[in-house]
Structures are given as C-alpha cells and as structure tokens.
Amino acid sequence: MRRLRDGTIGHDRWFFMLWVLSSAMVVAVAVALTWQAATHLLRYDAQIEARDWVKDLTASVNDLDLMLTTGFLSPLSRRALHDAGGRQDVTFFRLYDQFGQPIYQSLSDHEEPPIAILTGGTIGAADETQQDGDDTSFAGEGQSDARAEPPIHGRIVLPFETGSGVQGVAEVYLDQSAKAEFYRQAFLAFVGGLILLILIAMALPMTMVWRKSKERELAERRLQDLAHTDPLTGLGNRMHFRERLDDALAVATDGEGVTALFWLDLDRFKTINDALGHPIGDALLCQVADRLRHCLEDDGTIARLGGDEFALLLSGDFCDNEAARLAQRLIQVLAVPFDVEGHHVVIGVSIGVVFAPRDGNATDDLLKKADIALYRAKDAGRSTYRFFTPDMEARSVVRHSLEEDLRDAIANNQLRLHYQPQVSLKSARIVGFEALLRWHHPRYGHMPPHEVIGLAEETGLIMPLGFWALKQATADATTWPEDVSVSVNISAVQFGHTNLVDLVGDVLSMSGLAPSRLDLEITESIVMSDSRTTISKLRKLRRLGIHLSMDDFGTGYSSLNRLRNLPFDRLKVDRSFIRELGGNRDDAAIVHAIVTLGKSLGMQVIAEGVETDMQLAQLHVENCDVAQGYYFGRPVPATEIGRQLGLYNPSNSVGLHAPRRPPLPLRPAWPEADRRAVTAPVPVDDPSTMHEAVN
C-alpha cells in the first residue's frame, strides 16, 4: 500500500510541477511579447512626434532650404530654430546638410546632449542616411547617462525633403519618459491581469485534478485495504497473511529469532452453519475473530484464510513450550460456548503449528506443513494441536492415496456393513442391529471406521458414502424379522444437508422397509442447538414414521430444556460411562441419572459398550431398556445375522440354534457362546473403534 500511495503522490507532484512550468512559460512568453509591443509602440510614437516636429520646423523656418544648402541662417530663422527645441518633448536636435556636415544643433557648442549621441564628424551623405524614421533608439536600450535616473529619450533621424529632393537631415531626440512610464504601468497591469487570468483559468481544472487525485488515492487505498482485509471479520486475509509471513521469514532466515505459524480450523462449524443458517455462521466467525484478537492482543498477526480457517503468526524468541501454551489457551478459549443471536453454540478448534526456520524458510512450504499438522490434530480427535514433524509428510501422501482409494471403493462397491445386535434387557431378545462401516483396504487391511468417516467428511465423500450405507442397511433389514429394526448413524454433514428428509424417504421407498423399523442415530453435538431449523428437520424425519436416537448422550452440552424440546425416541448412553460401571461410583450415578431422565421423558434408554457381567448387572439394577456391546456379540456381516437371531430369538431364527444356559443372577439367560466374562480379553482389532457407525 505504501508503494501504491507513493506512486500516486509522485504522479501528482510531477503533474503540479508540469502545470507550474507551463504557466511560467506562458507568463514569460506573454511578458516578452508585451514588452516588445510596448517598445514598438514607444518607437512608433517617437517617430510620429518627430515627423510632426520636422513639419512644424519646415513651416516655421522660411529659409530652411537656404540654410541647408549654404549654411546661412537669418536671425529670424535662428529664433525659430531656438524655439523649436522646446516643442513636443524635443530635448535636442541637430541639423545636417546634404553632405552630412552638421550646420546647427539646439545646444551651444560647449553643452552636451542629455544622452550619449553622435557628436562631431559627419553623419554621411544625405542620400545615404537612414530612411524615414528607421534609425530609432532609446537611452534605456543600451545607452547610458551619468545621471542616476536618466529620462528615456528617443533618437529619430529624418530627412528634409523639398521638390528637388533631400536637402538635409534632422537628428531629433525626444523625451519619452512619461510615455514610457505610462507603457510600463500598462505593461504591469497587463501582465498582472494575464497572470490572474491564467491562475483563474488553471485553478478550476487544477482543483478538479487535485480532487480526482485524492479520490483516486482514497479509492486505491480502499482497494488495497479490501485486497488485504477479510470483509466479514475485519482480520487480514490470505494475501495479507502471506505478505506478513514473507517479511517474517526474511528476518528469521537472517538468524534473528523464530517465527511460529498456527493454522486453526474450527471443529463442527459446517454443522452449525448448515443447521442454523449462514447469518448465524457469519456471526459466529466474527465472535471467533474477537476472541482470537483478545488472546493475541498486539503480539502478532491474525488472519482469516477462508471459510472456518484462521492463522496466527508470531515472531521473536519463541520456543515449543510457549507455542504449546498458546495453542492450549486458544483451544480453551474457543471451547467456551458462544451466544449467537440467542443460540447456544459450542465448537472446538484443531491447530497445526510449524516453526521457521526449523521446519522451512519458504512460504508455500510452511503453509503446506502447517496444513499437514492441522490434519494430524484432526485425526487425533479434534480440539487439540500438533507440531509438525517430518514423518507427517509421508502420512500426508498416504492420506491423499487413501482419499483416492476411498473414492474408488465407493464407486466400485468395495465397502461393507457389519451389524452389532441390540438386546432387550427385559426379554433377552435382539430388538435391532446397528449398522457399522467396514473397509478392508487392499494394502493397509482393516481401516478404523472413525478414520474412514473423518476422511469422507473432509474430502466431501460423506454424502455418497452415507447414502450408500443407508440404502444398504435398509435393504438388508428387509430380510430380517419384522420386529427387528436397524440403526444407522447420520453424520453432521449429512444432517446439515437440505435434502436429508427427502433422501431418507426415497431410500425407504426403494427398499420397502417399514419406516418404524428404521432408527437414525444423531450425535448430541449435532443437535446441541434448539434452533428452529434443527427442530423442524427432526420433526419432519419423525413424520416419516422412523425413530430417532440421540447418540453419545452425556458427552455434549445439552440442557434439560433443550432435550425436552427435541423429538427423540431413545437416548444412547455413551460407552465412556459404561466402561467403569460397577467399579466407579461416579459413573454409576451418571448412568442412573441418564436412565431416570430418559424414563421421565418417555424415551427408551440404550447402553452401548457392554462387555462384562458386572456392567450388565448394574444396568439391570438401573432398569435400562436395551444394551449392546461385545458381551452380546461382535459386529457381523449381513450373512451371519441368522446365527445371531438363532442365539437370542429362536422363534425367529433361520435354522441356526445354539444351546442356551440357565439364567444368571440379576439378568436373563444369555447364550454361552457369545457371553463374555469379566476377565475376558478385549479383541485385538481395536474394539474401541468397532462401535463407530456410518456417518
């Protein structure tokens, strides 16, 4: 901006100098021409007066011809000549005969003329003298006078002509001081008026040019600000951030301090933006920008790179511990719920951190590495931070390869759904199955479901993936008994899609599954706002005849008032509360509260992650409705559903029966084959991720 402004000012300066120079040249030319005109007028007046004087002299001196030819001068003629010296501003004159010999002058021989004039000698033959009035000069044009302020005289040489030709020459000196003063005053008035007219003539266009220049400068400044400022938050934009990063890297490369770059991406922002609308999303971004300003104050540069991505730049003696403390502070500050136009909004932030010159000294390279570190933070569970390490680049290449492979897997139907039973604690019968995504990668083997879902959400593949899962699950469920339902998880991106209700209706129509047998599981974080849009969409889904379950209940920020207004049929207790159930009094109290709350609101309560007899016994005590987990069986493909039903629902089985054991205390009889003891080892294929559903 400084360079642009300097260029504009320089342009205006040159234009002003050109205007002044042009005006000065116009004035100089006008002065010169006016002075020349005044000089010519003065000469012309002198010539006219001299001619008139010669005519009067010729008329008053009767024997002038005789005097010019013989040199004889009568007393009367001498008197006339003497009187002629004081006429018409004539101060001095001299007469010459036709041979150029002086025969009379108005002064005595011992007096000097008022100016340096030709004295003595001859002026030349009469026929070789100057023509009529050609020889005209002024004392002010180069001649000098001994007096301090000599009057201005004109010297005129005129012939005496008679019928026989030129008889002599008169050299006349006229006092032009008064006329010269008049012309001088007129000249000054003319020049002053001319300058005034020029100033007036140039003032208006110059004023317009100046105003245009200022307007252009302001417009360029505004454009420069717009080009470097995010219009929504008022923070710097990507271009501004790159320029600041370039400057910081130039300093860091010279060995003066360290530059730390923080790349921030808001968690769950897209869900909020889609559910509550873009105006709420924009207002949320403005509040995020204000909190970032408060955290950083004036210690560095903050910029919004686009969407829900922000970046921070700090320079100085910056160490890893200081960067970690700042990253943790940013996470804590942005985790505090926002109040956006009456909506209670909760988000998180994932942060990637790089250092210069340790991690690189090129702008694009650092930005790429910060982005890689950011995605490692997202992979680690979000709402955390990661410093860049060299091995992350290799993982980034793998991640890009996985994205392409996932795209191909969806297109080529290489994904599979496995189903985990949900068992009623009252009847000991399977009442439903939860559909869980499985992807066996040809190179990396079994892919953890949460990584697949995260990759699909980040790459925009979640919509086709979710549609496939919903369609496949409803199609599989049509082969099960009519009293067995299927649960399918809905991701935040899917829930925010405007056509979700129509999509679910179309899938039910295509599969022919009864709507009452479909249960959509929606995480608590997705519906943490009681916005009209969210409630309206939930009610439209309910009007289709399907059931809605709030998944991972207890891990979010739902209030009782919000829960009361949301049209859910079931609450799913998060596995984190079930894990220590039976050995942790706090978890037991939480489960008791959740079950009691669900019952009071007329909702069915489902506990997930049940793996031990102790957990199951405690759930019986709390009067929980349904449970699922490894205690009842691992997720199996659709082809093995019959065996699961044969174990728990003999009357609905497809011919596969298993021996049943006597009832255990505090619970119904469970099939020995799939029951897990308290000391049973956890499966080695990452059971903590096996519950992850298709999002």
Side-chain angles (χ1 to χ4, degrees), residues 31 33-49 89 138 152 175-192:
V31 168
L33 293 177
T34 305
W35 180 256
Q36 284 292 107
T39 303
H40 283 296
L41 286 174
L42 200 58
R43 289 177 178 175
Y44 179 74
D45 287 345
Q47 292 172 3
I48 295 299
E49 289 187 20
D89 300 328
F138 296 91
I152 299 178
D175 184 359
Q176 298 291 299
S177 300
K179 291 184 178 180
E181 179 64 20
F182 170 78
Y183 284 124
R184 186 180 72 83
Q185 295 294 337
F187 168 75
L188 292 176
F190 174 77
V191 171

Side-chain angles (χ1 to χ4, degrees), residues 582-597:
N584 187 308
R585 297 179 61 182
D586 293 337
D587 285 343
I590 292 174
V591 171
H592 174 76
I594 294 175
V595 173
T596 302
L597 176 64

Side-chain angles (χ1 to χ4, degrees), residues 560-592:
L560 296 181
N561 180 61
R562 183 177 300 114
L563 183 62
R564 177 173 59 87
N565 293 328
L566 294 175
F568 282 97
D569 303 288
R570 300 170 180 171
L571 289 182
K572 292 195 72 173
V573 185
D574 187 70
R575 66 174 48 244
S576 61
F577 302 119
I578 305 298
R579 186 176 299 116
E580 301 296 330
L581 190 62
N584 187 308
R585 297 179 61 182
D586 293 337
D587 285 343
I590 292 174
V591 171
H592 174 76

Side-chain angles (χ1 to χ4, degrees), residues 606-626:
I606 303 176
E608 59 180 350
V610 179
E611 298 179 355
T612 67
D613 283 322
M614 186 179 297
Q615 294 168 352
L616 183 62
Q618 187 66 38
L619 290 173
H620 268 290
V621 171
E622 301 298 344
N623 198 26
C624 184
D625 297 303
V626 179

Side-chain angles (χ1 to χ4, degrees), residues 204-281:
L204 182 59
M206 272 305 299
T207 302
M208 294 179 63
V209 170
W210 180 82
R211 289 184 59 185
K212 289 290 185 183
S213 174
K214 288 299 181 182
E215 290 174 359
R216 183 177 63 251
E217 180 180 349
L218 291 176
E220 290 174 347
R221 190 174 301 173
R222 284 195 296 268
L223 288 175
Q224 193 75 0
D225 291 340
L226 289 175
H228 289 77
T229 304
D230 174 51
L232 177 63
T233 63
L235 299 175
N237 60 8
R238 184 180 291 269
M239 181 184 298
H240 173 77
F241 187 78
R242 287 183 64 93
E243 291 181 359
R244 290 297 181 89
L245 181 57
D246 289 338
D247 296 339
L249 290 180
V251 175
T253 303
D254 294 337
E256 301 181 10
V258 175
T259 296
L261 190 159
F262 296 74
W263 192 302
L264 287 68
D265 186 84
L266 303 182
D267 300 329
R268 298 186 296 277
F269 174 77
K270 181 172 176 55
T271 303
I272 296 168
N273 198 44
D274 292 339
L276 304 183
H278 293 285
I280 300 298

